[in-house]
Amino acid sequence: MKARMPMLAAVVLMGAVWVLHTRATQSRESFLPVLRAAKDHGRQAERLAAKAVPVSADEERRGGEAVVARLDGMSREDEGLTALGRRLERTGLAPHFAGRYRYRLLQDSRPLAFSVPGGSIYISEGMVTALAGQQDRLAFVLGHEIGHNELGHLADRVRYAQRFDSWLLPGGDLAQGLRDLAAFSFGPALEFEADSYALRILTLADLRPGAAAETLEAIAGRPAPDPGTHADPADMLVEALRENVGTHPDLEDRLDRIEEDLGRAPAGALSSAPAPGHPVFPPVPSPKP
Amino acid sequence: MEERKKNKLEELLEGFSAAFLGALRQGGMERFIGEKLLNYVGMLLVVLSGAFFLKYTAGMLGPVGKLAISLAAGVAVVGLGEYLGREERYSLFRLPLVGGGWIVIYYTAFAAHYVEATRIIESPTVGLAVLCVAAAGMIAHSLRIRSRILTGFAFALAYLAFIVTHLGVQSLTVCTVLALAGAVLVRPLASPELAAINLAGFYLNYFPIFRGVLSASGAQGLPAADFWYSLGMATLVHAVFAVLVPPKPGRAPAAGEPPTPPSPDDYWMDLSLSLSAVVYAAVFYGQTSAYQPLHGAAGLLALGGMLTALSALRGKGDGGSALQHVQAFLGAAVTALAVFQLDGMAERYWGFALAASVLGTLGLWLDRRSFERYALAFMGLGLLHHWGCMGSLPAESRLTAVLSLGYLGAAGYALAGLRQRVGRAATWISGVWLYGGLAAILAALWLQFQPAAFAVSVFVLALILEWAAMEAGAEPLRQQAVLLEAAAGLYCFCIDYGSNLPVLGPVTPRLLVTASAVVTYGAALACCRRPEGVFLGVAGSDWRRSSAWFAAGIAAFGAYNEFGPRLRLPLWGLGALALLLLGRRREEEGLGVAAADFRLQAYLLVLATAAEGVLSYLVYPASLLGTLGARETAIFWCSSLILAAPVFWPAWAKTPAEEAEERSARYVFAALSLILPALFIAKEADGAWITLGWTLLGMGYLLPGLFSGRTPLRLPGLALLGVCVLKALFRDLTGLALPHRVLSYGVLGVLLVLSSFLYVRLTKKEECHES
């Protein structure tokens, strides 16, 4: 029996190969799983630092005051956005600036959306156009930005920026630029967290979580590119390096994460069962041959 | 120091120069000049004088007259030579006179059509026929008088005449007949120079046709029938010479006897034939390349096959003539060129695979290392070709490429196996077949499957190799298996599973790959022998032990990515428990080989679980964790209870060091079984409820520890209660109003005193039992 065990195991695993080949969604070669596992722990260290040296809501607001002052001149209050934002806040998932979030429409034709420390969220007219004004898609974008606030991403940036202030930096544009960079640059890990947060807030707000993928594809202006199943080691290295310096993950990665969150989530796992008539997610396409 | 073994070409050139210089030395320079050189130069001058005579009389006679005089003169000289040759003392003059006479006759035949002043034949074909008659006459005469020199001279003169009077394929046909006749005569006349003369003469006559094909209008200007006809003639000549002329392999020397060295004649012929083979291959390649590419590739394949077959006809073994090696090399090189010229990628894949397998089989059957080396070269070319075009392989060619690579891999293993069977396994060639075959199979799998399926297929391959190694007792296969297991293990860390949606019930691709890895490593550890000795600088036992580390690493990494922070902890904890259980084995073989590694992994995993509990679970945003369900709560608490099991296990240690380790393991696992629910309470509850929960938890460990007399349970419970007290004092109660604070402090104080009383009572009872 012992002598035959390897062959028996091989036969069983051949079945696994067949299942993976015929049914599994696309996988690819990448150093990112290892890299992101390491970065996750870096993120945890940041959270510990946030517990040890918390930044209050007022400190956050003060951190973003200067930027808000400049941006308010290029934007205006929008009732529709504000109403949608308040609807999301009522889910209870936005306690940090509950009732104090500001939703502004930026006069810019590019599809932009960002949040400034202190609860100010800016969506550009170009973004609204790109999303065809659809409520659940806009809700995903707002939820994503609220997520950056609620998950402490902006507070962390304020803490870093304060660190720059205390160091011996010359004044002027360079120092301001570094502060802005520290204030606004996120990494892919934080973007994934904000996407997950947005899915949850959409579900609780009785909106369609499936709008997440549509939103990302609409913003990118194209369907997600096929990354190819096999990669050169050199390409994998370049991808890993890009991950370290990039602010946003690849579109395909974000869609995969969203699909994973929703496709495997049993009913209720996202804090609320979706409302009748709103499927959790469109059917998963069959794997490519 | 051992003398370097000479290769075939060096042997050939050395033998050839020795034969030539030897002949010269034997005769002596003076004798050569006196007997031969003076004679032939003198006769040449006589012939020239005859030609000038004809020119002188040109103005006096008509064409017929001139030719008649010339012919008569030639016949007279030949006759004189024959007459003098009967006498022994004048025999020296026979050959020069006969040769000179025939030159005159040749010139007469040539002048009958090709010289304006003496033209009596208008048709070029008739003119050529007259030349053929003259050539045939001279050759026949030389054969009758059995003169090797004259025969060679006759052939050379004939070729020279045909070159000068070239009529395209008609001349080529005549030259082909002449060459074939020469091939037939080489051995019977023991005249190696005849081979060189005929081959050189044939190719010189072939050159105008070859030049015509290569010129701009060549391929289009030359009729297709003539193109193939001329190529066919060249092939026929080469094939006949290659079959008839080389010496047959002699009897193999008996044991202890030195091998018979080749004769000087053999060196002549070998060199001539080898050079001719090179020229023939160059002509064939040049001509077919100028023609349509597909025909060119097909033609080259035919040429390669023919040259290889001609080489193979020389019989078994690598000894023998240089021609055999030259043809083998040319055959392989031309076949490689042909495959590269094939239009489609799929055709090229199969071309390399089939060439490698056929040459490898031939080489094994005929015991020809050269064939086997060329076969390996084809395998290498096939793999390089795959590497070069895999990025641009069209979808419709993918299956063909996969099948051809799979075939190549199977051929590699089959040939390595056959080599072992015939007792030739202990050479580098077998190793290259094995690893080349492995590379081809991996390339096929990689092309066919996406990464998740590919990883599992590599595990399947490793298991098959392990099984084959056990069945056949083949150590190289076992080494390949452990190498594959290590490579696949590393590969598992480099797979991004994308959306990772379930494929089989709740099982996702990541879980399936992880399970496959664990099954493979488990089977390898439990059932398979370790590699012998040292392989790639690592001891065989260490290779086998590495399976334990890969399995644990992949399982832990898989659990980390698959499950959220909540479920990850109990799974890691249970994994650590399973590893500890495995680490209690004592067998010398199987899983027992890695027992110490399992135990070490268990302790590391416990540390990692505790650290993850704080880093990934405690501080993780609650909004991202999702709703806590009954199932998750049950898994968490049940696994925490199970983690305390080592406290109750029977003793395993046999030495003091093991006892100390076992003691520590009990404390470590008991602590973990307490830490996990403590973290759960800290995460899911708030404020004073945390303190209350922790207190109950601490009591839940302390009291059973006290009653059962197990310190590993007591101490963690006590520690937790201590933390509760500190938290209550310095955090929970500080915000209370004074009356509430008094009550709370009082209740807490009473509880602590009671606990202390119980503790002392019960531990004293324990000490009494022990004493």
PDB file of all heavy atoms in Angstrom, chain A residues 12 29 53 66 129 201 203 206 213 248 258:
ATOM      1  N   VAL A  12      -5.577  11.144  -7.731  1.00  0.00           N
ATOM      2  CA  VAL A  12      -6.537  12.068  -7.096  1.00  0.00           C
ATOM      3  C   VAL A  12      -6.232  13.507  -7.498  1.00  0.00           C
ATOM      4  O   VAL A  12      -7.132  14.291  -7.827  1.00  0.00           O
ATOM      5  CB  VAL A  12      -6.484  11.909  -5.562  1.00  0.00           C
ATOM      6  CG1 VAL A  12      -7.253  13.018  -4.879  1.00  0.00           C
ATOM      7  CG2 VAL A  12      -7.020  10.541  -5.151  1.00  0.00           C
ATOM      8  N   GLU A  29       0.734  34.475 -12.431  1.00  0.00           N
ATOM      9  CA  GLU A  29       1.958  34.447 -11.650  1.00  0.00           C
ATOM     10  C   GLU A  29       2.314  35.859 -11.196  1.00  0.00           C
ATOM     11  O   GLU A  29       2.305  36.784 -12.005  1.00  0.00           O
ATOM     12  CB  GLU A  29       3.108  33.866 -12.480  1.00  0.00           C
ATOM     13  CG  GLU A  29       3.008  32.380 -12.661  1.00  0.00           C
ATOM     14  CD  GLU A  29       3.336  31.942 -14.067  1.00  0.00           C
ATOM     15  OE1 GLU A  29       3.487  32.821 -14.935  1.00  0.00           O
ATOM     16  OE2 GLU A  29       3.445  30.724 -14.297  1.00  0.00           O
ATOM     17  N   VAL A  53      -0.896  56.695  19.248  1.00  0.00           N
ATOM     18  CA  VAL A  53      -0.853  58.150  19.057  1.00  0.00           C
ATOM     19  C   VAL A  53      -2.055  58.547  18.208  1.00  0.00           C
ATOM     20  O   VAL A  53      -1.929  58.799  17.017  1.00  0.00           O
ATOM     21  CB  VAL A  53       0.475  58.580  18.362  1.00  0.00           C
ATOM     22  CG1 VAL A  53       0.612  60.098  18.331  1.00  0.00           C
ATOM     23  CG2 VAL A  53       1.675  57.943  19.032  1.00  0.00           C
ATOM     24  N   ALA A  66      -6.048  73.894   4.949  1.00  0.00           N
ATOM     25  CA  ALA A  66      -5.456  74.685   3.863  1.00  0.00           C
ATOM     26  C   ALA A  66      -5.895  74.161   2.504  1.00  0.00           C
ATOM     27  O   ALA A  66      -6.232  74.937   1.592  1.00  0.00           O
ATOM     28  CB  ALA A  66      -3.933  74.648   3.980  1.00  0.00           C
ATOM     29  N   THR A 129     -20.230  62.401 -14.921  1.00  0.00           N
ATOM     30  CA  THR A 129     -20.526  62.098 -16.331  1.00  0.00           C
ATOM     31  C   THR A 129     -20.098  60.675 -16.667  1.00  0.00           C
ATOM     32  O   THR A 129     -20.830  59.924 -17.314  1.00  0.00           O
ATOM     33  CB  THR A 129     -19.794  63.085 -17.258  1.00  0.00           C
ATOM     34  OG1 THR A 129     -20.043  64.413 -16.824  1.00  0.00           O
ATOM     35  CG2 THR A 129     -20.214  62.897 -18.705  1.00  0.00           C
ATOM     36  N   ILE A 201     -20.880  49.283   2.865  1.00  0.00           N
ATOM     37  CA  ILE A 201     -21.784  50.413   3.087  1.00  0.00           C
ATOM     38  C   ILE A 201     -22.887  50.428   2.025  1.00  0.00           C
ATOM     39  O   ILE A 201     -24.034  50.804   2.302  1.00  0.00           O
ATOM     40  CB  ILE A 201     -20.973  51.740   3.124  1.00  0.00           C
ATOM     41  CG1 ILE A 201     -21.667  52.749   4.036  1.00  0.00           C
ATOM     42  CG2 ILE A 201     -20.725  52.296   1.758  1.00  0.00           C
ATOM     43  CD1 ILE A 201     -20.844  53.982   4.320  1.00  0.00           C
ATOM     44  N   THR A 203     -24.200  47.748   0.658  1.00  0.00           N
ATOM     45  CA  THR A 203     -25.159  46.707   1.019  1.00  0.00           C
ATOM     46  C   THR A 203     -26.077  47.175   2.134  1.00  0.00           C
ATOM     47  O   THR A 203     -27.294  46.973   2.092  1.00  0.00           O
ATOM     48  CB  THR A 203     -24.411  45.441   1.459  1.00  0.00           C
ATOM     49  OG1 THR A 203     -23.398  45.145   0.502  1.00  0.00           O
ATOM     50  CG2 THR A 203     -25.353  44.270   1.575  1.00  0.00           C
ATOM     51  N   ASP A 206     -28.811  49.463   1.208  1.00  0.00           N
ATOM     52  CA  ASP A 206     -29.796  48.886   0.289  1.00  0.00           C
ATOM     53  C   ASP A 206     -29.544  49.320  -1.157  1.00  0.00           C
ATOM     54  O   ASP A 206     -30.462  49.547  -1.933  1.00  0.00           O
ATOM     55  CB  ASP A 206     -31.203  49.285   0.741  1.00  0.00           C
ATOM     56  CG  ASP A 206     -32.262  48.380   0.109  1.00  0.00           C
ATOM     57  OD1 ASP A 206     -31.934  47.218  -0.216  1.00  0.00           O
ATOM     58  OD2 ASP A 206     -33.403  48.843  -0.076  1.00  0.00           O
ATOM     59  N   ALA A 213     -17.979  47.006  -9.603  1.00  0.00           N
ATOM     60  CA  ALA A 213     -17.190  46.641 -10.778  1.00  0.00           C
ATOM     61  C   ALA A 213     -17.512  47.554 -11.953  1.00  0.00           C
ATOM     62  O   ALA A 213     -16.618  47.981 -12.694  1.00  0.00           O
ATOM     63  CB  ALA A 213     -17.443  45.188 -11.150  1.00  0.00           C
ATOM     64  N   HIS A 248      -2.425  53.339  -6.690  1.00  0.00           N
ATOM     65  CA  HIS A 248      -3.623  52.524  -6.888  1.00  0.00           C
ATOM     66  C   HIS A 248      -3.223  51.168  -7.455  1.00  0.00           C
ATOM     67  O   HIS A 248      -2.302  51.075  -8.250  1.00  0.00           O
ATOM     68  CB  HIS A 248      -4.590  53.213  -7.871  1.00  0.00           C
ATOM     69  CG  HIS A 248      -5.351  54.340  -7.258  1.00  0.00           C
ATOM     70  ND1 HIS A 248      -4.764  55.534  -6.909  1.00  0.00           N
ATOM     71  CD2 HIS A 248      -6.652  54.450  -6.899  1.00  0.00           C
ATOM     72  CE1 HIS A 248      -5.670  56.332  -6.377  1.00  0.00           C
ATOM     73  NE2 HIS A 248      -6.826  55.708  -6.354  1.00  0.00           N
ATOM     74  N   ILE A 258     -13.047  42.613  -5.494  1.00  0.00           N
ATOM     75  CA  ILE A 258     -14.478  42.866  -5.325  1.00  0.00           C
ATOM     76  C   ILE A 258     -15.266  41.604  -5.612  1.00  0.00           C
ATOM     77  O   ILE A 258     -16.182  41.216  -4.865  1.00  0.00           O
ATOM     78  CB  ILE A 258     -14.916  44.027  -6.250  1.00  0.00           C
ATOM     79  CG1 ILE A 258     -14.381  45.342  -5.695  1.00  0.00           C
ATOM     80  CG2 ILE A 258     -16.436  44.090  -6.388  1.00  0.00           C
ATOM     81  CD1 ILE A 258     -14.482  46.500  -6.659  1.00  0.00           C
TER      82      ILE A 258
END
